[in-house]
Amino acid sequence: MPVEFLGIATTTDASETRAATTRPFDAGYLERIVRAHEDNGWTRVLFAYGSSGPEPAALAAYVASRLDSIELLLAHRPNVSYPTYAAKTFATLDQLSGGRLSVHFITGGNDHEQGREGDTLTKDERYARTQEYIQIVKRAWTSTEPFDHHGRFYDFADFHLDTKPVDGHVPTISFGGSSDAAFRVGAAEADIYAVWGEPLDRTQEQIDRVHAEAAAAGRTTPPRIHAAFRPIIAPTEELAWEKAHRVLDAIEARKAALGGVLSKRHPIDAPENAGSQRLLEIAAQGDRFDSVLWTATAKATGGAGNSNALVGTPEQVAEALLAYYDRGVRVISARGYDLLDDAVDFGRYVIPLVREGVAARDREAAASAAA
């Protein structure tokens, strides 16, 4: 089965280890980093969402007009627009990109961050709203007749979308989260379920939960699984670990310079969202798991987003990723700390090894089936 690779699209080169050296909004850098992914074997890039950041749909449209093959994953929060408007925006972007759009729905795990844009619902209410929102968007994309909707959060009549996604297909929907509500909604509605990189046994627990919730929702085919990591690679294992500790030192130095925080959206201690709580719980049990998983970066950042690292040579990191593939992971998200150069290196040195490993597994499976 194929394996896909997700990178990041951004308008600055800032990361947990460094302040931006680009302009605060640098369209040229956005094009360069996406082109680096397109030229080095990545499947798609994510246009992330934050209350204070640039509008990701506009960035995706900009990139779609300049690059021909890279797929576009648009992060979207349901609280920022009505679902009929969102369905129209997504369909338009899909047309502009020639069918390259996917959408990642973010319910939101931080009350303060949600409140910055007027969202005052509780966490469970937000997940219920997201489910209703996704259902409306799907129906708008596929309905051949005007339809009414009278739900808990949205109410409208006689809506019809003239501009549909390309050739009648439905863009891929991805979804993430580690709470009970997240598993219920995402497993029922999403094509891809995203988790943050954890040790293999903990990742298996999440995969099993997604599959169980999908079955409970009446699905015969569960969502594909997406796992996210921060790769730190070098030609030798010793150099990789030296690089990893430089990364950690840079995180701590930047955190100290910013008064003990890295982001106003995410507290270092006691995060609200279940995914970050899981990462910190794992980090408290040790720094290293399995072959190359390193949790020190997650601990230093408060489990902020995708923050567990894979440290080693390209061969070691590729073998680790193939172990996740063997557990059922089909989409791998990877983002370094030097965003552009790390995207190039991962694409050149790790992605081909993973794809070769997957192809070998496919050949073995085909031979076994034939026998």
Side-chain angles (χ1 to χ4, degrees):
M1 296 181 67
V3 61
E4 300 175 350
F5 295 91
L6 172 67
I8 190 72
T10 178
T11 57
T12 78
D13 65 351
S15 76
E16 298 93 330
T17 63
R18 59 192 283 181
T21 64
T22 56
R23 296 187 301 275
F25 183 99
D26 192 327
Y29 180 80
L30 171 66
E31 184 171 348
R32 285 197 302 277
I33 193 169
V34 178
R35 194 173 296 280
H37 286 84
E38 183 174 77
D39 291 345
N40 287 282
W42 296 76
T43 310
R44 65 179 63 86
V45 289
L46 169 68
F47 297 84
Y49 189 92
S51 62
S52 59
E55 205 289 300
L59 301 183
Y62 178 87
V63 168
S65 69
R66 285 162 172 77
L67 288 93
D68 297 326
S69 62
I70 193 81
E71 296 178 21
L72 316 171
L73 178 59
L74 178 67
H76 182 77
R77 283 185 186 166
N79 61 293
V80 299
S81 69
Y82 212 72
T84 51
Y85 177 84
K88 187 183 308 184
T89 300
F90 303 150
T92 303
L93 278 171
D94 196 60
Q95 287 287 344
L96 286 172
S97 66
R100 287 183 281 153
L101 184 74
S102 300
V103 184
H104 181 70
F105 285 94
I106 302 173
T107 299
N110 182 291
D111 290 345
H112 182 69
E113 166 68 3
Q114 295 300 121
R116 285 176 166 161
E117 294 185 291
D119 189 5
T120 59
L121 297 184
T122 67
K123 186 175 181 178
D124 283 349
E125 288 172 334
R126 291 198 297 265
Y127 276 108
R129 177 184 60 190
T130 298
Q131 183 164 26
E132 186 175 335
Y133 197 99
I134 292 173
Q135 290 169 348
I136 292 168
V137 168
K138 287 179 180 177
R139 188 171 182 188
W141 284 340
T142 58
S143 177
T144 58
E145 300 293 333
F147 66 95
D148 302 342
H149 179 87
H150 306 292
R152 176 179 173 187
F153 299 96
Y154 304 103
D155 192 291
F156 57 86
D158 200 38
F159 179 75
H160 183 256
L161 192 60
D162 290 331
T163 299
K164 295 286 202 297
V166 170
D167 296 331
H169 85 291
V170 177
T172 299
I173 288 174
S174 70
F175 186 97
S178 296
S179 68
D180 290 342
F183 283 120
R184 285 195 301 272
V185 174
E189 303 296 342
D191 303 297
I192 295 172
Y193 198 100
V195 298
W196 289 331
E198 296 183 1
L200 285 166
D201 59 344
R202 299 293 296 269
T203 299
Q204 188 66 58
E205 291 173 7
Q206 296 206 80
I207 293 172
D208 292 344
R209 179 70 186 275
V210 171
H211 289 182
E213 294 288 353
R219 297 183 64 172
T220 56
T221 302
R224 288 179 288 153
I225 302 297
H226 157 176
F229 304 92
R230 305 300 292 271
I232 302 174
I233 62 171
T236 69
E237 185 175 1
E238 181 181 6
L239 289 173
W241 282 104
E242 290 177 3
K243 181 178 178 181
H245 286 288
R246 288 196 303 272
V247 165
L248 184 61
D249 289 345
I251 292 172
E252 294 293 358
R254 181 153 170 72
K255 191 166 63 176
L258 294 173
V261 299
L262 288 170
S263 169
K264 294 179 180 179
R265 292 184 295 172
H266 186 91
I268 296 296
D269 299 315
E272 294 178 30
N273 60 306
S276 294
Q277 292 168 8
R278 286 177 63 96
L279 294 187
L280 292 181
E281 175 196 345
I282 293 165
Q285 298 170 12
D287 285 348
R288 297 183 64 172
F289 292 84
D290 303 323
S291 58
V292 300
L293 186 74
W294 193 45
T295 66
T297 44
K299 184 176 181 179
T301 60
N306 168 21
S307 52
N308 271 342
L310 297 175
V311 183
T313 66
E315 293 79 10
Q316 289 173 322
V317 171
E319 282 302 314
L321 291 172
L322 286 166
Y324 285 94
Y325 178 88
D326 291 339
R327 296 283 182 133
V329 172
R330 293 296 178 264
V331 182
I332 294 167
S333 173
R335 173 165 54 96
Y337 292 93
D338 184 340
L339 300 178
L340 195 151
D341 288 346
D342 286 347
V344 172
D345 286 347
F346 187 85
R348 286 179 177 174
Y349 303 119
V350 178
I351 287 178
L353 296 177
V354 177
R355 287 203 166 113
E356 288 171 11
V358 170
R361 284 159 170 75
D362 287 346
R363 288 193 297 272
E364 291 172 5
S368 177

